[in-house]
Amino acid sequence: MTEERQISKAVISRLPRYYRYLGELMEEGIERISSNELSARMKVTASQIRQDLNNFGGFGQQGYGYNVKYLYTEIARILGIDRQHNLIIIGAGNLGQAIANYTNFEKRGFMIKGMFDINPRLIGLVVRGVEIRSIDNLEQFIVDNEVQIAALTIPKSKAPEIADRLVRAGIKAIWNFAHTDLNVPDDVVVENVHLSESLMRLSYRVCSMQDERERKEREKTV
Ligand code: NAI
């Protein structure tokens, strides 16, 4: 993975979207695509696509375009989704169970090995083949199952304490849904997911468009 260290965070953040589009192209049986065609589909400029994909030594060939399968495989390799990641979910409430019920994570190599909760009424239940276990057994389970990633879907007040336990048990990545920032050592990565932040961005955009429409209406009537 040495060469990937040079790739900017901005490019890495765009790769999952390329991956999704390339997957759709493969499902449609499309074997190669030009940056212009991909640009039309993805609604990003062709030059952005060329710039992004050139980071990996330029998979594109003049007059040929990109080999869809090769690019798809390369991006999977760069994102590390060509290998298996064992994952656990801490907090088996609404969100934790929704994540466990989603089958596509496994297709991307994320294997949900177990769920953990403190609620005795939930412990022992099975969600799509994944057992809900007592949080008391967390550390041993992490070691026994070589767990790398933990999804945190517990109240924010409990998140720091659980994050510390996860780190001490050897977890290297936290997928944090709790609305709080976590303090973890440098060798542990945290990806915060906040649906409400995404909604607020949507709110800003829809309000800006509405304001713009109203401004134009006012200009017309003056
Ligand atoms: P929920 O109340 O349905 O589930 C929370 C679960 O965590 C409960 O089953 C509870 O028993 C368990 N729990 C509490 N303390 C625990 C501990 N110390 N160890 C293990 N399990 C523990 O709540 P919901 O709706 O599933 O939300 C979970 C969390 O995710 C909340 O913090 C919520 O604010 C957050 N959330 C975040 C979203 C995001 O976009 N980031 C979206 C929706 C919820």
Side-chain angles (χ1 to χ4, degrees), residues 44-113:
V44 269
T45 63
S47 79
Q48 165 100 78
I49 289 175
R50 283 193 293 270
Q51 253 178 40
D52 283 351
L53 301 181
N54 275 349
N55 272 288
F56 323 115
F59 307 131
Q61 284 168 32
Q62 204 75 41
Y64 175 88
Y66 295 100
N67 179 317
V68 173
K69 182 149 188 246
Y70 178 69
L71 200 47
Y72 183 80
T73 314
E74 259 322 89
I75 290 179
R77 189 184 64 75
I78 289 157
L79 292 175
I81 50 177
D82 58 341
R83 47 185 113 160
Q84 182 175 317
H85 297 282
N86 293 340
L87 186 149
I88 52 172
I89 300 170
I90 317 291
N94 293 309
L95 185 55
Q97 294 201 24
I99 291 173
N101 270 313
Y102 186 59
T103 53
N104 264 12
F105 296 134
E106 278 138 40
K107 290 186 196 149
R108 301 270 181 268
F110 300 101
M111 313 310 286
I112 302 174
K113 292 286 178 178

Side-chain angles (χ1 to χ4, degrees), residues 90-96 116-119 122 135 153-156 158 162 177-179 193-196:
I90 317 291
N94 293 309
L95 185 55
F116 292 85
D117 209 287
I118 45 167
N119 184 345
L122 293 175
I135 194 80
T153 53
I154 51 176
K156 71 173 183 182
K158 306 286 171 52
I162 294 291
F177 289 84
H179 294 294
V193 184
H194 297 306
L195 299 182
S196 49

Side-chain angles (χ1 to χ4, degrees), residues 108-169:
R108 301 270 181 268
F110 300 101
M111 313 310 286
I112 302 174
K113 292 286 178 178
M115 300 177 78
F116 292 85
D117 209 287
I118 45 167
N119 184 345
R121 274 180 299 182
L122 293 175
I123 294 165
L125 297 182
V126 176
V127 181
R128 207 175 54 82
V130 181
E131 187 180 338
I132 302 175
R133 297 160 193 273
S134 163
I135 194 80
D136 296 344
N137 304 327
L138 179 67
E139 284 79 1
Q140 195 57 48
F141 188 91
I142 288 173
V143 174
D144 292 347
N145 291 276
E146 298 177 353
V147 179
Q148 218 184 9
I149 304 176
L152 263 195
T153 53
I154 51 176
K156 71 173 183 182
S157 59
K158 306 286 171 52
E161 171 204 328
I162 294 291
D164 286 348
R165 276 180 69 178
L166 289 167
V167 169
R168 280 200 301 273

